[in-house]
Amino acid sequence: MCVKRSRRFLGAAVVATAIATAACAQKALEYPFMVSGSVSDASGQPLGGVRVTLQIHGVVYEGATPMQRTDTYTDERGRFAFDYVTRDPTELYSLSFDKEGYESSSIERASLARSVHDVKLARR
């Protein structure tokens, strides 16, 4: 009889552990996202060297490090990209675009569902 009770206990413990593990796994879901686009002048010519700032309105992760703000620069074709992971697919973000000799521009509280942007900067 002791053996049967032990097996039942062991079986219940395995099931409880599996349920707990599944519950933890659901909380730890990660959603990769990329924000990208291009920047050009009013005539459509690509602008390299534009500083693009990503501001997260929550927390995302770069590797295992949480981050909320970072900068990058557009390449010679005016392209930029940020590639991160979040546990909240409803996270919002903002972008700002700055280049000497051009009017600054920004995109506020964008959704991860819309993550490709084509931005035009006007000369001052």
Side-chain angles (χ1 to χ4, degrees):
M1 192 89 172
C2 279
V3 173
K4 287 184 181 178
R5 284 186 185 157
S6 295
R7 284 184 185 160
R8 281 188 205 148
F9 176 75
L10 180 58
V14 168
V15 170
T17 302
I19 290 170
T21 302
C24 289
Q26 284 182 332
K27 289 181 181 177
L29 288 177
E30 295 179 342
Y31 303 91
F33 75 92
M34 177 181 278
V35 175
S36 63
S38 62
V39 180
S40 57
D41 65 16
S43 70
Q45 292 298 311
L47 284 177
V50 176
R51 183 179 66 198
V52 183
T53 302
L54 172 70
Q55 175 72 48
I56 302 295
H57 303 284
V59 177
V60 299
Y61 298 88
E62 181 177 29
T65 305
M67 59 80 57
Q68 289 185 298
R69 182 186 173 118
T70 189
D71 294 326
T72 192
Y73 288 85
T74 57
D75 66 11
E76 65 280 349
R77 297 170 113 183
R79 297 176 303 187
F80 67 92
F82 298 96
D83 192 5
Y84 296 101
V85 172
T86 183
R87 292 193 172 138
D88 181 0
T90 64
E91 221 44 278
L92 299 176
Y93 65 90
S94 298
L95 294 169
S96 61
F97 304 87
D98 300 292
K99 183 170 175 77
E100 181 95 22
Y102 290 84
E103 296 287 330
S104 294
S105 181
S106 64
I107 297 169
E108 299 297 327
R109 302 186 65 77
S111 162
L112 293 179
R114 181 174 182 269
S115 60
V116 177
H117 304 276
D118 292 313
V119 178
K120 298 220 184 285
L121 297 183
R123 284 199 177 268
R124 288 187 194 169

